[in-house]
Amino acid sequence: KNQVEQSPQSLIILEGKNCTLQCNYTVSPFSNLRWYKQDTGRGPVSLTIMTFSENTKSNGRYTATLDADTKQSSLHITASQLSDSASYICVVTRNSGNTPLVFGKGTRLSVIA
Amino acid sequence: SAVISQKPSRDICQRGTSLTIQCQVDSQVTMMFWYRQQPGQSLTLIATANQGSEATYESGFVIDKFPISRPNLTFSTLTVSNMSPEDSSIYLCSVELILAKNIQYFGAGTRLSVL
C-alpha cells in the first residue's frame, strides 16, 4: 500500500533552535519527494523537491535529505523563527497510475519565544 | 511559478445549500486538481478537472455531490452541493504547469464552515 508516514505528529521548540522532521514512505514506483509548508488557513507551499538521485537539497534555513534505499526523508530547520510555525507535509509522487501524489499527515511545528 | 487565485477564501453556509468555489491561474497549466483537507488531516484528492469533459473522481467522491467544471486551461470551479456539517473543510485548488511538470502548486484554499 502506498503510504507516507511522518513523525513527530507535533513539535514545540524554542526560537533559535534547530529541529528535524521525519518522513518514511512505502510509495512505488517513486518519482520524487517534496516537502511543503502549510501555514494555518493557507494552501501548501513547496519548500524542496528531490528526485531519486538527489540526497540533499537546501532552501535557505531548510535542508531536506533523501535516502531512497531506506525510503526515508528528513527536513532540517536551522535557527528556527516564529514564522516557521506551520504544518510541514511530506508528499511523494508516484511515477504512474492514478492519484499520483501520496500525502503525509504532516508535522505541526510550533516555535515559541 | 504561478499565481493561483481561489475564491471565496472562506464562507459560512447553511445546511442544504450549495457553494461554488472558483480557481483561476495566470499561467498555462496541464492539470488542475481539487483537494479537501479536513481539520487536522492531510490533503485528500477529490478529482482531476479535465478541460471540456467530465472530471475524474477519486473513490468516495461523486459528481452529484462535487460537480466540477473546467471550461478552459486556466479556470475551474468546484461546487459543494447539498452541504452538511461534515462538508466543513478547506478546499484547495492545485495545478501543474506546462513549464514545470511534476510540481503541483496550490491555491490558498477555501475554508468552508457548514452550520
Side-chain angles (χ1 to χ4, degrees):
Chain A
K1 186 177 180 181
N2 294 299
Q3 287 186 318
V4 175
E5 301 287 341
Q6 290 188 245
S7 62
Q9 187 175 20
S10 62
L11 182 62
I12 301 174
I13 62 173
L14 292 175
E15 185 179 14
K17 297 296 185 182
N18 304 334
C19 67
T20 300
L21 315 180
Q22 300 291 342
C23 173
N24 298 335
Y25 62 93
T26 58
V27 178
S28 66
F30 176 90
S31 177
N32 60 63
L33 184 147
R34 284 169 261 181
W35 284 92
Y36 282 89
K37 178 186 179 186
Q38 184 177 21
D39 293 311
T40 301
R42 308 294 294 176
V45 174
S46 180
L47 294 175
T48 64
I49 177 170
M50 289 183 292
T51 59
F52 186 86
S53 59
E54 295 176 299
N55 301 120
T56 303
K57 181 86 54 96
S58 292
N59 178 3
R61 294 180 295 103
Y62 301 103
T63 299
T65 66
L66 174 64
D67 185 335
D69 292 331
T70 62
K71 298 187 177 181
Q72 296 179 325
S73 176
S74 66
L75 180 69
H76 186 75
I77 304 175
T78 304
S80 61
Q81 301 176 356
L82 297 178
S83 59
D84 292 331
S85 297
S87 289
Y88 292 83
I89 304 171
C90 176
V91 184
V92 179
T93 302
R94 300 178 65 223
N95 217 0
S96 65
N98 298 327
T99 318
L101 298 190
V102 185
F103 289 81
K105 292 187 176 181
T107 292
R108 178 69 203 175
L109 175 64
S110 299
V111 181
I112 60 176
Chain B
S1 62
V3 175
I4 304 170
S5 301
Q6 192 174 331
K7 59 182 182 181
S9 59
R10 62 195 311 149
D11 207 341
I12 301 173
C13 301
Q14 295 293 324
R15 180 196 299 261
T17 62
S18 298
L19 175 71
T20 295
I21 304 167
Q22 298 181 0
C23 178
Q24 177 74 55
V25 189
D26 71 343
S27 304
Q28 292 292 311
V29 304
T30 55
M31 309 284 282
M32 295 184 79
F33 306 92
W34 287 98
Y35 287 85
R36 180 174 73 182
Q37 187 176 28
Q38 295 179 304
Q41 299 297 313
S42 189
L43 283 75
T44 300
L45 180 64
I46 296 172
T48 301
N50 300 309
Q51 184 194 0
S53 65
E54 188 173 296
T56 303
Y57 289 86
E58 297 299 305
S59 176
F61 298 96
V62 296
I63 188 171
D64 290 344
K65 177 66 177 177
F66 298 101
I68 289 171
S69 78
R70 187 180 173 190
N72 57 53
L73 282 176
T74 61
F75 182 79
S76 178
T77 66
L78 167 74
T79 299
V80 186
S81 303
N82 189 24
M83 289 183 284
S84 65
E86 291 72 33
D87 294 321
S88 298
S89 281
I90 298 175
Y91 292 85
L92 295 139
C93 169
S94 171
V95 304
E96 187 176 285
L97 304 181
I98 287 177
L99 297 179
K101 293 182 181 179
N102 234 5
I103 300 176
Q104 284 197 15
Y105 296 90
F106 288 86
T110 296
R111 182 180 290 272
L112 172 62
S113 298
V114 184
L115 305 178

